[in-house]
Amino acid sequence: PGWSTVCNTPFRRHKTWVHEGGISTPLIVSWPNGIAARNELRHAAAHTIDIVPTILEVAGTDRIRIWDNVPTPLPPGLSLVPEFEAPEQIAHAELWWWHEGNRAIRRGDWKLVAAGENASWELYNVAVDRAETNNVAAEHPDIVQSLDQAWNERVREFQRLATADLEDAPVAAEPIKSLILPGEAFLVAGRPAFVFLPADELRQTPQPWVLYAPTLPGYPDTHEQWMHEQFLAAGIAVAGIDVGEAYGSPWGNEGIDALYHTMVERGYAERPVLLGRSRGGLWVSSWAAENADKVAGIAGIYPVFDLTTYPGVANAAPSYGLTADALMSRLVDLNPIDRVHRLAEADIPACFIHGDIDEVVPLGANSAAFTAQFEAAGKRDLVQLIVAEGQGHNYWEGFFRCQELVDFVIERAKEPRTQ
């Protein structure tokens, strides 16, 4: 073991461990007819899970078929084809390892790693400490907590996915998702999803519903309970899917696509109302810009539409599979606020409540900017913007008991529900 570690200098450890000495391996690609570059280096962190998506893109398809009667999900990973053309074109939102009890997860430049099942987590910034010599876990407990939660969520996700087709699959130790109201938690494309269900006597065909974001382990939370109860009392279901910190990225939209098609197949309306709270605004507005014909309306509680204000380009870039510079150069195509004009062109009505002193998600760059784009298109009457004076980004009850917003969602959800 000592000599194996020496062979990996300056990296720590070796095979079976998930410190850099055990997982850092060069990938050599040769394709003379397809890659113009010669003898060039790329420094993007890639993974073996990227090989299949790369082959699929080279082959001109995004589908993989194993046998006729079993639906096969898209493989994980990112295509490396953009890196063939120019460096720094891809960046994983997260990379995850668990091998012989050794654990790690990497998000951006932060890497959480432990040498053994019961070992304490170590935290490194691999951009400045690739050799993993300066454990900064004590200085950044918030990052450790966030990455530890993400690592465990992946464990549960992969365990459920691995046993999904087994008749005698063991019951999961933890529920797929804890719900604050009656409903169902289930998996869609291997990711946790939920639906709050109205009482049997209030259900309809097709069933009107709200597509909610951000569905994360802690959302929807109890602050929103009254609001969702109003929807259920009006016979409207609420559903969402956990796509992680997607920030409106294309891969996050793929998860929402999967939920949407699942719900429609179950008899739900083809045009739900989209409801985004805070960063959930990025999710719903990005999906709506690509699927305006499937949207009955869009609502939000201090919603984010401009990713440059929150979470910022550097933090959002990994979710888009891009570097910060690459994302910055493509904002006009990817930033949800720059695509709001599509919703105005499609006459999508909207209703938002937003605090006028919100420093986390500034009103001017988000809900007000959304409204301004509708006004520029001559559609100002389609947007109801409720400004909460003297309120920031907080749990003020008025945000979650806003009758105007509730009435808007109910009215739009009950519009004719098919094209």
Side-chain angles (χ1 to χ4, degrees):
W3 283 113
S4 294
T5 298
V6 170
C7 290
N8 285 328
T9 301
F11 300 145
R12 290 179 58 191
R13 300 188 182 267
H14 52 92
K15 182 178 178 180
T16 77
W17 275 280
V18 292
H19 284 74
E20 291 296 284
I23 62 174
S24 183
T25 307
L27 172 68
I28 302 172
V29 181
S30 175
W31 183 20
N33 292 333
I35 302 176
R38 296 289 188 278
N39 303 320
E40 293 186 9
L41 291 176
R42 301 288 189 260
H43 297 286
H47 195 284
T48 52
I49 61 174
D50 299 328
I51 300 299
V52 170
T54 302
I55 292 171
L56 291 178
E57 180 169 346
V58 169
T61 182
D62 62 355
R63 293 289 184 267
I64 183 169
R65 176 174 163 180
I66 297 178
W67 50 77
D68 291 339
N69 60 344
V70 177
T72 306
L74 293 177
L78 300 174
S79 169
L80 303 178
V81 170
E83 290 286 326
F84 297 166
E85 304 298 326
E88 298 186 354
Q89 297 301 303
I90 70 162
H92 277 276
E94 286 180 353
L95 289 171
W96 180 92
W97 296 266
W98 187 14
H99 185 66
E100 296 189 11
N102 301 309
R103 301 163 288 145
I105 186 167
R106 175 172 169 171
R107 180 187 293 159
D109 293 328
W110 289 110
K111 179 181 174 186
L112 195 69
V113 59
E117 201 73 63
N118 299 314
S120 298
W121 284 118
E122 303 165 13
L123 180 68
Y124 301 100
N125 185 327
V126 293
V128 296
D129 185 20
R130 185 79 187 281
E132 299 169 311
T133 59
N134 182 27
N135 178 11
V136 294
E139 290 94 88
H140 299 282
D142 54 334
I143 297 176
V144 172
Q145 181 180 7
S146 175
L147 289 176
D148 171 66
Q149 179 179 328
W151 190 88
N152 283 288
E153 287 173 6
R154 286 293 186 94
V155 172
R156 292 191 290 270
E157 174 188 338
F158 294 150
Q159 287 174 335
R160 288 191 296 265
L161 184 61
T163 60
D165 60 345
L166 301 180
E167 292 182 2
D168 57 348
V171 176
E174 298 184 39
I176 292 174
K177 182 173 180 60
S178 298
L179 304 182
I180 60 172
L181 289 169
E184 176 190 359
F186 52 99
L187 292 176
V188 173
R191 303 205 66 89
F194 81 95
V195 59
F196 295 151
L197 294 167
D200 289 346
E201 63 272 17
L202 298 176
R203 297 182 195 175
Q204 306 169 48
T205 303
Q207 173 62 50
W209 62 297
V210 172
L211 199 163
Y212 168 88
T215 298
L216 294 167
Y219 296 92
D221 65 13
T222 54
H223 296 286
E224 302 173 6
Q225 185 164 336
W226 178 88
M227 176 178 64
H228 294 301
E229 287 174 343
Q230 308 314 300
F231 300 149
L232 299 185
I236 298 167
V238 181
I241 182 169
D242 186 345
V243 293
E245 291 290 11
Y247 299 130
S249 63
W251 70 265
N253 285 347
E254 289 179 6
I256 297 175
D257 280 339
L259 173 68
Y260 172 83
H261 292 297
T262 296
M263 299 300 288
V264 171
E265 289 170 3
R266 289 183 170 199
Y268 286 71
E270 294 180 358
R271 298 180 68 228
V273 174
L274 312 187
L275 173 60
R277 172 182 169 186
S278 191
R279 59 189 180 272
L282 291 170
W283 297 24
V284 298
S285 58
S286 177
W287 189 82
E290 301 297 326
N291 300 274
D293 61 322
K294 301 180 178 69
V295 179
I298 183 169
I301 299 171
Y302 39 68
V304 187
F305 299 120
D306 183 354
L307 64 80
T308 70
T309 64
Y310 182 89
V313 172
N315 291 325
S319 296
Y320 281 76
L322 299 170
T323 63
D325 288 343
L327 177 57
M328 182 66 76
S329 70
R330 297 181 58 189
L331 283 178
V332 69
D333 299 317
L334 296 174
N335 195 1
I337 193 64
D338 291 316
R339 296 185 288 162
V340 165
H341 63 90
R342 300 184 186 180
L343 306 183
E345 293 164 1
D347 293 332
I348 303 298
C351 179
F352 311 122
I353 182 168
H354 210 127
D356 62 350
I357 60 170
D358 193 329
E359 296 181 357
V360 178
V361 182
L363 168 65
N366 291 281
S367 293
F370 184 109
T371 304
Q373 290 202 35
F374 269 63
E375 185 169 9
K379 307 289 181 68
R380 177 62 181 85
D381 59 322
L382 290 177
V383 183
Q384 183 180 4
L385 177 57
I386 305 159
V387 177
E389 295 184 2
Q391 295 298 330
H393 208 77
N394 56 39
Y395 294 116
W396 177 57
E397 190 175 77
F399 286 128
F400 308 104
R401 291 180 176 249
C402 178
Q403 193 64 54
E404 296 97 324
L405 185 141
V406 168
D407 291 344
F408 169 85
V409 171
I410 292 173
E411 179 184 356
R412 294 307 308 166
K414 289 190 171 182
E415 285 292 306
R417 294 180 292 280
T418 57
Q419 291 298 104

